[in-house]
Amino acid sequence: MKFAVLRFPGSNCDQDCIHALSTFPGTEADYVWHKDTSLGGADVVVVPGGFSYGDYLRTGSIARFSPIMKTVKEFAAAGGLVIGICNGFQILCESGLLPGALVRNRDLHFLCKHVYLRVEQTDTPFTNASTKGAVLNVPVAHGEGCYFADDETLKRLNAEGRVLVRYCDAQGQVSDASNPNGSKENIAGICNEGRNVFGLMPHPERACDPFLGSTDGSVIFQSLLNWPTSPLRKSAA
Amino acid sequence: MNEPAITPEIIAKHGLTPDEYERIQKILGRDPNFTELGVFSVMWSEHCSYKNSKPELRKFPTTGDTVLVKAGEENAGVIDVGDGWAVAFKMESHNHPSAVEPFQGAATGVGGIIRDIFTMGARPVFNLNSLRFGDIRGDSAEARTNRRLFAGVVSGIAHYGNCIGIPTIGGEVYFDESYSGNPLVNVFCLGVLKHEEIARGAASGIGNPVFYVGAETGRDGLAGAAFASRDLTEESKQDRPAVQVGDPFREKLLLEACLELLASGCVAGIQDMGAAGLTCSTCETASRGGTGVEIDLALVPKRETGMTPYETLLSESQERMLVIVKKGQEDSVRQIFEKWDLPYAEIGTVKDDGFMRVKENGVTVVEIPARSLADEAPIYNREVSEKNLPAPFDAATLPETDVTTALVSLMSHPSLASKRWVWRQYDHMVRLGATVLPGSDAAVFIVREANKILAATSDCNAIYCRLDPREGAKVAVAEAARNLACSGAVPLAVTDNLNFGNPHKPENFLMLREAVEGLAEACREFNTPVTGGNVSLYNESPNGTIDPTPTVGMVGQIADMKHVTTQAFKAAGDVILLLGNLGDEIGGSHYLKVVHGQKAGLPPRLDYATEKALHNGVREIIRKGLVQSAHDLSEGGIAVAVAESSLSAKPALGASIDLGSTGLRPDVALFNESQSRIIVSVTSENAAEAESVLKSLGVPVQRIGTVNSTGTLQIAADGKSYSWQLSDLETAWGETIGKLME
């Protein structure tokens, strides 16, 4: 499977994504420069974390004007798989590929630590290798990761099963105490209507190596690799 | 040109003495103009020339089998780590800017040290920092100011490091009244490169074009180096324009562009513009190359109009580099800068006459022999006062003290409390290397591109240094090496940051000399050459001089992931061993300071043979796979060390300790800070083998207890037993700083 990892000026998790992907057999991963307009025949687009354009205005708000994002939108509209991690999630929201916005963390500080995520849906290209209710230990690192959407949008996201991961505690309980940044309804990651675009604040690429304390993030990448042959794919289609 | 006339007042305002001015006249064979005076003023400041400290710095050991680039040769030293890979690292201070404007002061400190590293051709892979503030407890105006400085510095470091994508993986933070109003912000960066990728900061190749790349020059940070070489006073706030503003996004582009540029083979020499900006980079590259450099200021990209040559040359605007390009390769260079959307300009050429010549629209405004600026600053041997060591502390003078509450006081003192509130604000996980997260004895990092495991730590006990700077400095090196040994690492080399008071005061200069000689001696003993560093003098505020703080940054290497060891206890039932003796030295201890309000007595002595045997011993049992956890004993002695190993476990693990009959007061037994001690935990099956290996290596060892899951910490000595609930200790240790800062 071929992955295109986008590089914006200020991307800083691009090398990490390439490294993490390289540890999965059967993957091929290449950088795509933001000024390019071709994804080079990739099967999956990864929008990595970082501070695109310094995030001086609003996180992700300038990256959406990069030439490559027009191509990514067309790719997504045609059903192509897109995953946005951290700043990548913010960029996908700013680009209108995902609803809602990421705002300043509840306690105003940047926060880097391991958190727990509960897998809410498994009928997607991003979570099919997991099980419903599974608890994943994956780190977050962001200053603006508080997910916000209006009530109408939240209602739709819930009704359509588009919240894929929520912040929880080690036992899988979703509560205010297990919410690291004040996100609405502990939302850590959502997908689009077509279920082919996924954005999440936690960093699965930082949890693919036992030496880094957790390998729970690998289930996201494994799901992508399994998807072409997944029985769920047929039912989804 | 409308430049101010040179008067004795103007000369004094530039921090130059009448003698120094005479020396300038001799060098030039004429009077300098105002711009030239400014150039000499910054280049001959302590910050750039080390004129007060150079004779001392020459005492450091700087050579060794692994040293590829020596201290002082380039922007940072370079050390071989095997298989054709090397590391460049350095520590630098941004104390004065941070006192005046903590957020930008700290942020630009981080930016500056990162530039020093990628200027060497290395990709920066991690940062550490060593911070000191005044007391942050209480409601006084002073405490509020210290909290504001602490919060500002931490968020400034986070802002810059997180955005540029270089993890901040460790360091230290201490709080002591001597730093009130004069915080210390020492930042460290390490980068990785192949041997053949080492870049040089020399203007070589007569006729080669000189390029400027990076942020436009503005009036920010005018003459910051000169500002950093004065005492902080009430008026220092008016120096705020001397503090620069950082743009980590620009620096990220500059970093990627420079590494791409260096890989392209178009570069003859490269130098960052840090302190003294354009001035320093032009005269230093010329001096190193044995050449001259001529630039025209009219060509320099500027963000403000009407800047005078003086302002342009002395600006310390951030995120700028000077690149000497191989003639004929200009177009390739332009392409790379354009790809990364960076402002750039060809501003001059390398000449053969040894002069730093600056023009503006073709009119010469500065013409000075480059070498006289970079390498021929006056050097002073300052006066020292007489050495006067305190007597060993007599514990009998202390009132009887309840050790149960004393441990809680120690654990909740901001200096010893968990720094979780700090490092959670730093992205310490980017670059997928932090295999030991912040909070253990040393940070351990997997450098993916080189497939090497590095450990790094920064250490300095300034109370020891205040009482006995020589011994305190030796202990700083020993403790750094001990921290690395506990992590499973062999030390490679050292960078240091010497933070002292005004060198014109003989008592301050004595401290500097003693500390340097102590550091030098200990670095020889531990076979860790000094690869460079920084000197920050004039750390004085209206409250007085800081405690002398010669911070040691030490880097080590771990051969195998299996050897990576942390301080956290691992399992109930494990046996706890004390390596080294029980100790009895209470002078200079944190117990005396925190519980009895005294910084007094002779600090603990260091014995090299004992210390080295200890390091070898702990590394040997780690290599043999016998160790579950290892933690060195430092501030707060054995009681604090055991408590930290307990609380660092997830979930926390209890311990039951019996020190036997010590014949000491209980407070001395529990909290003394004698050196050369480590606690390790081992499984009960491995305990006997660990003990026999240690004995064979001449390391004293005794079983002092076991790890348990009772939720309590129990310590017995001389028939008396003391106990604590882990939950109470966790509140004291884990939550103190967060609560103070809310």
Side-chain angles (χ1 to χ4, degrees), chain A residues 132-187:
Chain A
K132 225 174 196 177
V135 176
L136 310 178
N137 177 4
V138 179
V140 291
H142 56 245
E144 285 158 326
C146 173
Y147 182 74
F148 181 84
D150 59 32
D151 292 344
E152 191 58 36
T153 307
L154 291 171
K155 219 161 126 187
R156 268 195 72 185
L157 287 173
N158 284 313
E160 294 167 8
R162 288 164 54 192
V163 177
L164 304 192
V165 278
R166 282 185 215 272
Y167 300 109
C168 65
D169 62 19
Q171 283 71 45
Q173 297 301 311
V174 169
S175 69
D176 201 44
S178 63
N179 189 338
N181 52 26
S183 289
K184 286 269 186 192
E185 300 183 10
N186 284 42
I187 289 173

Side-chain angles (χ1 to χ4, degrees), chain A residues 16 56 112 206 209 211, chain B residues 247 339 424 427 431 435 448:
Chain A
D16 293 356
Y56 290 139
C112 178
R206 296 184 184 185
D209 179 342
F211 292 132
Chain B
D247 179 352
K339 171 183 170 186
R424 279 188 177 162
D427 187 345
R431 299 199 68 77
T435 184
R448 300 283 173 183

